[in-house]
Every structure is written in structure tokens, then in C-alpha cells.
């Protein structure tokens, strides 16, 4: 299998995940990500309790890359400490900026590592980073 078809297979698997596309009973933080050039409109919902990402989900619709990226991100931070989510979001943006990651950082971002292939594709990078910007706003209190 070529690297490109492996990327495609993984993106489609994550884009097809349904369990994180749902409402949350209790929401402490919410952030909408909107990418008009593609039509992605994904709102990240989170419940932070005792310094932990106790629950996290998203609502809305997006293309395969933005939806897959959101599911990868949720899998990477759900149940973790907020400070670990802060490290994870930083590692993700460092990777997209072309920086080398430590093994620990690669472990933290999980399967989202494959999204690095979009960093050289200006039309796709916004899709891949959309929900990560929303996560960044929430965990780093950027508002
Ligand atoms: Zn998109």
C-alpha cells in the first residue's frame, strides 16, 4: 500500500467515526470552528472537571479531513489533564510548522501525526487544523 493510500484509508476511517459527533450533557467550554473556503463548520464541546478533559465531542459538519482531524484530536485528549491537552495542541502545531517532535510528543498526538501530510497543501491545512484551533482557544484561554 502506498503512503498516500494509507493516509486516505486512515482519514476515511476517522471521518466515519460517529461516537464523538454528539451533544454533551454538561458543557463547560464551547468553540466554533468555521472554514468558509471549504464549508467546514464544527463546534467543539468540552466539559472540564477537576483539571481534566472529562468529556469532549463536536457538532456540525465538515469535509473528510476536518472531521477526521477532529476525531483524532478528541481521541488524543479525551480523559487527559488539561495541561496534557495544552502540550498536545502545541505539539500538533509544532508538527504542522515543520518542527521535529520528540517521541513523547508523537505519542501525545496519536494518529493525528499523519495530518502532517497536509502541511504542504494550503487548501487542506485549514481543514486539518480547524478543530485544533478551537481546542487551543479552550485549553489556553485565548478568549
Ligand atoms: Zn474542509
Amino acid at each position: 500500500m502506498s503512503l498516500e493510500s494509507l493516509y486516505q484509508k486512515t482519514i476515511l476511517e476517522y471521518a466515519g467515526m460517529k461516537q464523538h459527533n454528539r451533544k454533551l450533557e454538561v458543557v463547560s467550554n464551547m468553540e466554533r470552528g468555521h472554514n468558509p473556503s471549504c464549508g467546514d463548520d464544527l463546534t467543539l464541546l468540552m466539559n472540564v472537571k477537576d483539571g481534566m478533559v472529562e468529556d469532549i465531542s463536536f457538532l456540525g459538519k465538515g469535509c473528510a479531513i476536518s472531521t477526521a482531524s477532529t476525531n483524532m484530536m478528541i481521541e488524543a485528549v479525551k480523559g487527559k489533564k488539561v495541561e496534557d491537552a495544552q502540550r498536545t495542541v502545541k505539539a500538533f502545531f509544532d508538527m504542522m510548522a515543520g518542527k521535529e517532535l520528540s517521541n513523547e510528543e508523537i505519542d501525545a498526538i496519536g494518529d493525528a501525526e499523519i495530518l502532517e501530510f497536509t502541511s504542504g497543501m494550503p487548501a487542506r491545512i485549514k481543514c486539518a487544523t480547524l478543530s485544533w484551533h478551537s481546542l487551543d482557544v479552550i485549553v489556553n484561554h485565548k478568549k
Side-chain angles (χ1 to χ4, degrees):
M1 189 184 281
S2 74
L3 203 53
E4 212 158 279
S5 54
L6 179 69
Y7 290 155
Q8 203 160 25
K9 185 170 171 284
T10 308
I11 291 289
L12 291 177
E13 272 171 18
Y14 273 91
M17 280 176 89
K18 300 284 176 232
Q19 66 264 39
H20 301 309
N21 189 200
R22 64 191 171 94
K23 288 184 181 169
L24 291 190
E25 294 284 316
V26 188
V27 178
S28 63
N29 303 81
M30 186 188 287
E31 182 67 24
R32 180 182 175 208
H34 187 213
N35 175 21
S37 62
C38 178
D40 309 313
D41 194 344
L42 300 171
T43 297
L44 195 62
L45 308 175
M46 200 188 292
N47 189 43
V48 175
K49 197 178 169 194
D50 303 327
M52 307 279 290
V53 181
E54 193 204 44
D55 209 353
I56 176 168
S57 72
F58 75 99
L59 293 173
K61 283 193 162 49
C63 67
I65 289 185
S66 63
T67 310
S69 172
T70 303
N71 280 319
M72 288 168 176
M73 183 266 282
I74 287 174
E75 296 270 303
V77 302
K78 189 173 175 176
K80 289 198 183 157
K81 289 182 188 165
V82 172
E83 60 198 54
D84 289 333
Q86 288 168 340
R87 274 197 282 272
T88 302
V89 79
K90 183 182 179 295
F92 179 79
F93 283 113
D94 280 352
M95 174 185 80
M96 297 306 273
K99 289 185 194 161
E100 287 280 330
L101 299 189
S102 67
N103 289 337
E104 197 182 325
E105 287 171 324
I106 291 169
D107 280 351
I109 62 175
D111 284 345
E113 186 189 359
I114 73 143
L115 293 168
E116 189 182 11
F117 83 94
T118 67
S119 65
M121 305 162 74
R124 308 266 64 175
I125 192 165
K126 280 186 186 168
C127 303
T129 58
L130 186 69
S131 288
W132 291 84
H133 283 294
S134 300
L135 178 69
D136 192 26
V137 168
I138 293 175
V139 299
N140 290 309
H141 311 289
K142 293 207 165 159
K143 251 185 187 169

